[in-house]
């Protein structure tokens, strides 16, 4: 069943067509990877999905509802959560408070703050930050902040989770760990779109990969097919991956 | 009627140039250092007193005393930077703006009261022998002291632009504006750049002060009013946008003069503020600001 | 933790009780006046703090709400409307103004918001000065009594502080602080930034308006535009920063400190009082960026660290350190 | 005309000589000082006015205390005056707070005023509430006296005097009707005192033989008056009346000169009161007139001494508010002496019955607390403030028309 | 050429680097690898003078530089390409490059160096008048490196030049680094991309939790089991 359907989506900045007639869909329970050269419109498309940008034209259908151009907090409440390419945690909050905010405001918010607090601690444990609940974000390490960002997104109880370069700056071992975490999240019935440049990680967890170039979809398919697609090799992967 | 409208517009433009000049220093300082120096009006005041005393004690023509004013205010700016503002440069931008705003408040209180002690509360002004001379163009009078505002403003705008665009120092200033850390990795001494920009901003305030003393009057508590004008012009022109600041000043001047012509002198100031708010609402980055900056 | 709370509660009750009996014990108008001044500034600083400190929107136009509240109350009261009605109207009108300007004002961010609100307050100041240049007088000067005014201020201040305290512990309060910490992130978590900012602005404006209303009742005579002066924004803001923004106690400490210090200097130092005040102020801002509250917090962490360290040493003596991770 | 004074005691009655004769009376122990309180704007926008006022108070108190103080019959001795004056930063709220402080802590028997209408309006109400006699100068606002206040006294010319006298003086000084200006331009500052005085100017002009050709309001703090000036010029106005504050006044005269408007007569009631007016405006401010309330060139007793003192302290003769402030203390001291007690109401009644010579001439009070005082017209000539009217006091001839 | 001895670094009370010693010899490519938050960036910032070390010695070409201001260190011939490039977005590509030659030593040879940089990155020559903020991610990295080269350094430090770049660009980036090294520049490289950087580097150091935990020839390290398991997945 299709959870998300994007049709003929367009977005331009001034003269620049960042997204051009984009069509794709995501099925329930899937992990879809998005790759593409720098500046090909990956982040922009996530911004369009989450209401951070308004599309110039086109449709975004999520669970049978049109969501293109809705305010971003509404999009979240409808069940799409995201992480940012550059982490944006609440610096002066503790890890727990960060998650609590999401729990108190996301989809199906907790009835009161006490319950939110309890649930937040559970979520922190899930991403392996259980012991850091009371620590201020400014005292957390980069990796921990990324996990927190994920925990926060999860705490909004999304149907669909959008991850924007969550693994940038990780080495392959760290990326492996992150992949495990993502697989774990999938178990709890959350559909995932991940944007990544670490090809090994994307191919490893994704059911399907979509390739962007200059705001358009140039390829789509199983990870196996994609890494051998000559067009993808030419614009994105380079010879070493061939 | 038409002639007096013309006269009105001319005066508006000339006054506007002064607004622009007052805001120029503030804008330079804010653009480069992100210091919100609300004691700017007090620097204008000091500039005014410097040329006032040069005029009344040394008999120096105010326009000839501008270099002297520049030197005094430049040094004052450098001292202020070293003593006070330099302590905030490592802060993140938001708290830097906030802290400098507060510090500058303290400074303006101190400056006002020092001025009161040393210069007394009396109004001062410079009236040269040629102050009422004017030339007439199409029935519209151009009094020399007011025309001088425009001339001086344009000169300093050009000088500043040349410094910023053509010299290495200017490039260093602009680079520091954008990213001080990267700038210091280029071998730029950012302390020097900050000091220089702050002192230059103060010197510009001093020049504006001379013009205020010639065209209006000066007094220890005059600062706040000019600071407000400068803040508004700075935002109107787009934060840190140097030519935009001058144009912002001109627009404010014109708005005020046309309001008093068509509506009433009662609403001069209000009209300027209304314009400002409208601009902010419909073009939040200011008239000439770029979105990115 | 619990013990701590009880101590806090007792302390609060003692202070409030002292304030309640104060005018009955010290029958001295000058002291009462001074306390009223302090209460007025606590009101203003605390109300400013709801938007400026907790929601992160540096509002340089707080005087607009104070002024509108004061103007409304005074105008109605002078023209014969019963006091209580005029009094409440002050707060209500301030909220209405807040709602009118809120939506456009919150389109602006950062410095733009700050200077935009400054301009707004200045505009109101000038307009009111143009339309109502007359001095207004307290309608019942003959029966002027300081005591009811004192209790009005005291009650209002307590309500403001209580409201703020409850607010910041609530869900909405959490949302407001999240907006302060990062608007983009907050919105991506389902928080409507505009809504929260508007709520904060309205509450902030309401109490500022009520402060204005009380001021209108208190001040024997003043110009209608006087409460719109920018000092009604800047003084409370400085107090909030001196005390510590984003805390309940900060604005209170700040206001007490600010008013008392300034008065003491006026009375004792004479003509140099403002120079000294300015210098002290700058030193505080530069060397105590977190406000006076920071001194207390530093002191507390110092204390807890000391006790913790002692405990740690004891633990080490008995059992081996369980985890090898060093984190100092 | 002054209200008939109910007190039968002759004003100049030598009380001192009478009291000691009643030798056997047991006097209560006298207080160390007679406490007087004031809140004065020494900083902020009225700082320049406040500092002049303060000098006047200080001089007068020093003079009286040099003589041992004021004789108070109740205590049978002279008691020195002590003034506790705090700066209010030109902020009425602080002024109120200061007055309350001196009231409760120093238990003052009288208040002396600060400066400027707005400040007085706030502080006089406190005096009324506390029932403390209040003497204040440096405000011409008349309306404040119409509120039924009992404790407020102001030995200073008020708006009605000024509106009346400007035409009276002009008609006396320029006897030939043809030479007089005819078309008046009035620039009215949009404040309540501005409203009051502007209205009075307008009302008194017609009966005195003048026409108001142009009348405009402007907000205080306006920096640019070109619109007003051009319109006045277009209306053929040859005389300007206004009540700007000093910076506005400087801007007005400079811009009038720049725009080539040359009225024959300019009266700016308040702006030229700054001692620096001449220096600041140069030729533009020359020949501008005003009602100063007092002038150091008047020939009343005591002025010479004040001028001498001022000359040593500030190297110029006394500023215009020094005299009236000095007179306030003289009036107060006489009132206390006449009351013979430190009871505030008694002092208040004694002041109300004042009829005495001071450094500003003869002073008596009307029922509303306004004073009957000399209203001298001064004119700036060659950078100096000269007294030109009334004729018996003048220090220089009236310059007319403005060259 | 560059020699660190027992360097300790703190952020407030938090210690980030624990007595690190390392050296870089002339003509080498030395890589510094380690997990996230190990302190690699911190170390580079201290070497460049952007942050002060609490104790220890840093020696560059015989000069003690641990207390020098950043601009002096650049003057001595040590340049850094900071994390994320940090180009001046509001200026043109050319102006960015000119600023790279800000130090007096380099100003004289500005035009020569410009030629040289354009030779290495022909792409920059094509875009010299374009506003730097509109460049793509890869171009930004090129500009950042080009800018650092403009000061004609003896030693170039690169902080994660491959961060966030598409694989094809990463590949080109490493080729470029090798090319620059062949032209005689010594390179100190901080990378997450362990495979590629170890293949490239002559020597490498392993930094974990602020401590050096390993050192060796680049290709040798690649075969270490511990390195493979903790960095190469
Ligand atoms: N707010 C904006 N204004 C103008 N141009 C923009 C804006 N946001 C993105 N762009 C441009 O749109 C294009 C697509 O950007 P986008 O951030 O989506 O790329 P991306 O695929 O996420 O790249 P990367 O892998 O480097 O993160 C780029 O050329 C970018 O410069
Ligand atoms: N400004 C700072 N204030 C406090 N702690 C900091 C600061 N910068 C970095 N740290 C901490 O110092 C440690 C080392 O950080 P550093 O950025 O040097 O690591 P890194 O190895 O470069 O990591 P990455 O691979 O993520 O770039 C981390 O724990 C980090 O949280
Ligand atoms: Mg992206
Ligand atoms: Mg790093």
């Amino acid at each position: 069943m299709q959870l998300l359907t994007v049709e003929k989506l367009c977005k331009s900045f001034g003269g620049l067509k960042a997204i051009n007639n984009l069509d794709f869909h995501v099925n329930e329970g899937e992990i879809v990877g998005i790759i593409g050269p720098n500046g090909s419109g990956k982040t922009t498309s996530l911004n369009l999905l989450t209401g951070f940008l308004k599309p110039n034209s086109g449709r975004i259908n999520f669970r049978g509802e049109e969501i293109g151009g809705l305010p971003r907090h509404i999009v979240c409440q409808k069940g799409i959560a995201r992480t940012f390419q550059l982490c944006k945690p609440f610096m002066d909050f503790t890890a727990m408070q960060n998650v609590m905010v999401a729990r108190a405001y996301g989809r199906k918010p907790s009835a009161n703050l006490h319950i939110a607090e309890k649930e937040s601690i559970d979520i922190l444990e899930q991403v392996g930050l259980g012991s850091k609940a009371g620590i201020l974000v400014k005292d957390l390490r980069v990796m921990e902040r990324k996990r927190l960002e994920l925990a926060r997104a999860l705490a909004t109880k999304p149907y669909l989770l959008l991850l924007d370069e969550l693994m940038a700056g990780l080495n392959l071992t760290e990326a492996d760990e992150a992949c495990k975490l993502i697989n774990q999240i999938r178990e709890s019935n959350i559909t995932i779109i991940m944007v990544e440049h670490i090809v090994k990680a994307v191919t490893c967890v994704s059911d399907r990969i979509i390739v962007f170039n200059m705001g358009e979809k140039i390829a789509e398919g199983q990870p196996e097919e994609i890494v051998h697609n000559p067009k993808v090799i030419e614009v994105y992967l380079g010879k070493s991956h061939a | 009627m038409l002639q007096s409208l013309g006269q009105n517009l001319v005066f508006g433009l000339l006054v506007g140039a002064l607004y622009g000049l007052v805001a120029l220093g503030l804008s330079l300082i804010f653009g480069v250092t992100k210091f919100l120096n609300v004691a700017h009006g007090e620097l204008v005041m000091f500039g005014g007193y410097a040329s006032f005393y040069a005029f009344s004690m040394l008999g120096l023509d105010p326009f000839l005393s501008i270099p002297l004013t520049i030197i005094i205010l430049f040094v004052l700016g450098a001292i202020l930077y070293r003593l006070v503002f330099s302590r905030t440069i490592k802060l993140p931008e938001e708290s830097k703006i906030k802290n400098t705003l507060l510090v500058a408040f303290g400074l303006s209180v101190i400056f006002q009261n020092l001025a009161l002690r040393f210069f007394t509360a009396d109004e001062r002004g410079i009236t040269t022998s040629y102050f009422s001379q004017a030339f007439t163009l199409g029935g519209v009078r151009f009094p020399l002291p007011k025309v001088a505002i425009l001339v001086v403003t344009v000169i300093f705008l050009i000088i500043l632009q040349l410094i910023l665009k053509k010299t290495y120092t200017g490039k260093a200033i602009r680079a520091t504006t954008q990213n001080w850390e990267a700038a210091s990795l280029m071998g730029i001494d950012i302390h020097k750049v900050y000091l220089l920009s702050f002192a230059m901003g103060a010197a510009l305030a001093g020049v504006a002060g001379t013009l205020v003393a010639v065209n209006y009057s000066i007094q220890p508590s005059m600062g706040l009013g000019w600071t407000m004008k400068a803040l508004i012009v700075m935002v109107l022109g787009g934060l840190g946008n140097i030519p935009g600041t001058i144009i912002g000043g001109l627009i404010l001047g014109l708005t005020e003069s046309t309001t008093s012509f068509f509506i009433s002198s009662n609403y001069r100031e209000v009209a300027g503020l209304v314009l400002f708010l409208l601009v902010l609402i419909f073009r939040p980055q200011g008239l000439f600001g770029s979105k990115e900056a | 933790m619990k013990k701590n709370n009880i101590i806090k509660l007792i302390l609060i009750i003692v202070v409030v009780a002292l304030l309640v009996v104060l005018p009955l014990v010290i029958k001295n108008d000058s002291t009462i006046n001074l306390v009223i001044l302090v209460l007025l500034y606590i009101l203003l600083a605390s109300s400013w703090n709801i938007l400026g400190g907790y929601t992160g929107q540096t509002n340089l136009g707080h005087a607009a709400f104070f002024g509108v509240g004061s103007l409304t109350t005074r105008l109605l009261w002078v023209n014969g409307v019963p006091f209580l009605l005029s009094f409440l109207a002050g707060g209500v009108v301030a909220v209405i103004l807040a709602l009118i300007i809120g939506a456009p004002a919150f389109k602006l961010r950062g410095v733009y918001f700050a200077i935009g609100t400054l301009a707004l307050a200045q505009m109101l100041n000038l307009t009111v000065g143009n339309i109502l240049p007359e001095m207004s007088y307290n309608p019942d000067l003959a029966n002027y009594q300081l005591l009811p005014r004192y209790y009005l201020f005291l009650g209002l201040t307590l309500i403001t502080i209580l409201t703020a305290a409850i607010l910041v512990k609530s869900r909405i309060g959490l949302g407001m602080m999240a907006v302060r910490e990062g608007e983009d992130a907050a919105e991506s978590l389902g928080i409507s930034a505009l809504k929260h900012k508007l709520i904060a602005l309205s509450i902030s404006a309401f109490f500022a308006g009520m402060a204005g209303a009380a001021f209108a009742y208190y001040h024997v005579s003043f110009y209608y535009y006087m409460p719109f002066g920018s000092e009604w924004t800047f003084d409370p803001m400085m107090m909030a920063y001196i005390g510590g923004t984003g805390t309940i106690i900060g604005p209170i400490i700040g206001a007490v400190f600010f008013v008392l210090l300034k008065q003491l200097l006026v009375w004792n130092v004479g003509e140099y009082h403002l120079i000294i005040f300015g210098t002290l102020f700058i030193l505080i801002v530069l060397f105590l960026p977190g406000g006076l509250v920071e001194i207390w917090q530093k002191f507390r962490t110092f204390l807890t660290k000391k006790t913790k360290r002692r405990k740690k040493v004891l633990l080490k003596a008995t059992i081996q350190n369980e985890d090898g991770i060093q984190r100092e | 005309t002054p209200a008939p004074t109910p007190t039968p005691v002759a004003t100049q009655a030598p009380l001192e000589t009478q009291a000691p004769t009643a030798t056997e009376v047991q006097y209560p122990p006298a207080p160390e000082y007679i406490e007087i309180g004031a809140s004065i704007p020494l900083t902020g926008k009225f700082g320049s006015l406040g500092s002049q006022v303060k000098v006047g108070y200080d001089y007068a108190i020093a003079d009286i205390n040099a003589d041992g103080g004021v004789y108070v019959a109740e205590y049978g001795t002279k008691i020195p005056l002590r003034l506790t004056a705090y700066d209010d930063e030109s902020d009425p709220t602080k002024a109120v707070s200061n007055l309350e402080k001196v009231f409760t802590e120093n238990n003052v028997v009288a208040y002396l005023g600060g400066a400027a209408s707005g400040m007085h309006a706030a502080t006089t109400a406190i005096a009324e509430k506390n029932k403390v006699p209040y003497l204040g100068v440096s405000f011409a606002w008349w309306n404040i006296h119409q509120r039924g206040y009992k404790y407020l006294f102001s030995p200073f010319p008020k708006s009605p005097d000024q509106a009346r006298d400007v035409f009276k003086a002009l008609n006396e000084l320029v006897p030939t009707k043809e030479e007089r200006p005819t078309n008046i331009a009035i620039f009215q500052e949009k404040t309540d005192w501005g409203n009051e005085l502007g209205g009075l100017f307008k009302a008194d002009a017609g009966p005195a033989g003048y026409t108001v050709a142009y009348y405009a309001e402007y907000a205080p703090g306006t920096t640019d008056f070109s619109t007003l000036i051009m319109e006045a010029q277009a209306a053929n106005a040859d005389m300007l009346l206004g009540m700007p504050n000093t910076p506005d006044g400087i801007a007005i005269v400079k811009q009038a000169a720049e725009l080539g408007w040359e009225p024959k007569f300019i009266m700016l009631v308040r702006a030229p009161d700054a001692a620096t007016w001449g220096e600041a405006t140069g030729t533009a401010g020359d020949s501008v007139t005003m009602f100063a309330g007092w002038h150091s060139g008047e020939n009343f007793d005591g002025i010479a001494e004040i001028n001498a003192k001022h000359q040593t302290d500030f190297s110029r003769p006394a500023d215009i508010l020094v005299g009236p402030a000095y007179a306030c203390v003289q009036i107060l001291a006489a009132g206390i002496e006449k009351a013979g007690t430190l009871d505030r109401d008694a002092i208040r009644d004694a002041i109300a019955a004042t009829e005495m010579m001071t450094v500003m001439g003869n002073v008596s009070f009307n029922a509303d607390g306004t004073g009957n005082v000399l209203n001298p017209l001064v004119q700036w000539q060659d950078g100096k403030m000269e007294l030109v009217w009334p004729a018996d006091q003048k220090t220089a001839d009236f310059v007319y028309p403005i060259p | 050429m560059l020699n660190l001895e027992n360097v300790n670094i703190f952020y407030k009370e938090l210690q980030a680097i624990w007595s690190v010693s390392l050296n870089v010899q002339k003509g080498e490519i030395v890589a510094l690898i380690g997990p996230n938050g190990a302190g690699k960036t911190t170390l580079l910032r201290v070497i460049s003078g952007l942050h002060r070390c609490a104790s220890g010695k840093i020696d560059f070409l015989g000069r003690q530089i641990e207390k020098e201001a950043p601009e002096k260190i650049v003057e001595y011939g040590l340049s850094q390409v900071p994390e994320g490039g940090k180009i001046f977005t509001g200026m043109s590509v050319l102006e960015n490059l000119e600023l790279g030659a800000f130090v007096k030593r380099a100003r004289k040879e500005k035009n020569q160096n410009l030629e040289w940089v354009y030779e290495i990155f022909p792409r920059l020559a094509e875009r010299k008048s374009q506003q730097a903020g509109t460049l793509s991610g890869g171009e930004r990295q090129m500009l950042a490196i080009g800018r650092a080269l403009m000061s004609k350094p003896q030693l170039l430090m690169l902080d994660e030049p491959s961060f966030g770049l598409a694989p094809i660009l990463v590949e080109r980036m490493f080729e470029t680094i090798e090319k620059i090294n062949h032209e005689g520049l010594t390179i100190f490289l901080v990378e997450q991309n362990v495979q590629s950087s170890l293949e490239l580097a002559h020597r490498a150091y392993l930094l974990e939790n602020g401590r050096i935990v390993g050192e060796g020839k680049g290709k040798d390290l690649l075969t270490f089991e511990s390195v493979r398991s903790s960095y190469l997945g």
Side-chain angles (χ1 to χ4, degrees), chain B residues 7 123 127 141 146 214 265, chain D residues 227-228 230 254 258 276 280:
Chain B
Q7 182 76 61
E123 295 285 335
T127 306
R141 279 174 76 93
K146 289 238 156 48
V214 171
S265 276
Chain D
T227 316
L228 270 64
M230 286 183 299
K254 275 193 177 182
E258 284 171 4
T276 45

Side-chain angles (χ1 to χ4, degrees), chain A residues 43 85 164-165:
Chain A
T43 301
Q85 190 166 353
D164 194 359
E165 297 203 31

Side-chain angles (χ1 to χ4, degrees), chain B residues 16-34:
Chain B
L18 183 56
Y19 293 161
L21 184 62
V22 173
L24 199 58
L26 187 74
S27 191
L28 174 70
I29 293 175
F30 186 80
V32 178
T33 61
K34 294 289 175 292

Side-chain angles (χ1 to χ4, degrees), chain A residues 142, chain E residues 35-42 44 83 159-160 163 190 192:
Chain A
V142 186
Chain E
N36 252 294
K40 305 177 297 288
T41 301
T42 306
L44 289 200
E83 209 170 16
D159 195 353
E160 292 197 41
F163 183 92
V190 165
Q192 289 288 357

Side-chain angles (χ1 to χ4, degrees), chain D residues 187-257:
Chain D
F187 291 180
Q188 185 223 301
E189 185 188 75
K190 184 101 193 221
T191 54
D192 42 14
W193 173 56
N195 259 338
E196 175 182 292
L197 183 56
L200 288 167
F201 276 148
K202 203 169 168 182
D204 288 0
Y210 298 81
T211 22
V212 177
Y214 178 70
Y215 190 102
E217 288 177 348
Y218 66 90
T222 300
T223 45
D224 194 277
F225 292 88
S226 49
T227 316
L228 270 64
I229 292 167
M230 286 183 299
E231 283 169 2
Q233 216 170 354
N236 281 325
D238 54 2
M239 161 173 172
L240 170 64
L241 296 179
M243 64 300 290
N245 58 30
T246 310
D248 294 358
I250 292 174
I252 288 175
V253 295
K254 275 193 177 182
Q255 286 168 18

Side-chain angles (χ1 to χ4, degrees), chain B residues 98-99 102, chain C residues 241-244 257 281-296 298:
Chain B
K98 182 204 88 185
N99 276 16
L102 294 173
Chain C
Y241 278 123
I242 286 186
F257 179 82
F281 181 76
I282 291 177
L283 291 177
I284 291 176
V285 175
L286 286 182
F287 298 108
L288 273 182
L292 295 171
V293 172
E294 203 179 87
I295 301 182
W296 170 240
K298 272 188 180 154

Side-chain angles (χ1 to χ4, degrees), chain A residues 52 72-73 76-77 80 82 84 88-93 97-98 100-102 104-106 109 113 139 141 152-153 156, chain C residues 109 169-193 195-196 327:
Chain A
F52 275 72
R72 38 204 184 171
H73 61 278
C76 167
Q77 287 162 6
I80 303 184
R82 71 174 294 178
F84 291 92
K88 290 183 177 178
F90 303 134
M91 284 292 177
D92 289 332
F93 280 20
Q97 282 173 315
N98 261 279
M100 205 163 100
V101 170
Y105 280 92
L113 291 184
D139 299 330
R141 287 151 183 258
R152 225 170 44 172
T156 65
Chain C
R109 292 201 189 175
K169 288 259 183 281
S170 71
R171 174 171 175 265
I172 299 270
L174 188 66
M176 277 160 40
M177 287 186 268
V179 169
R180 173 188 71 196
E181 295 293 310
E183 220 167 286
D184 285 350
E187 294 229 299
S188 77
L189 299 177
I191 298 174
S192 163
K195 187 177 122 193
H196 282 76
R327 219 164 182 285

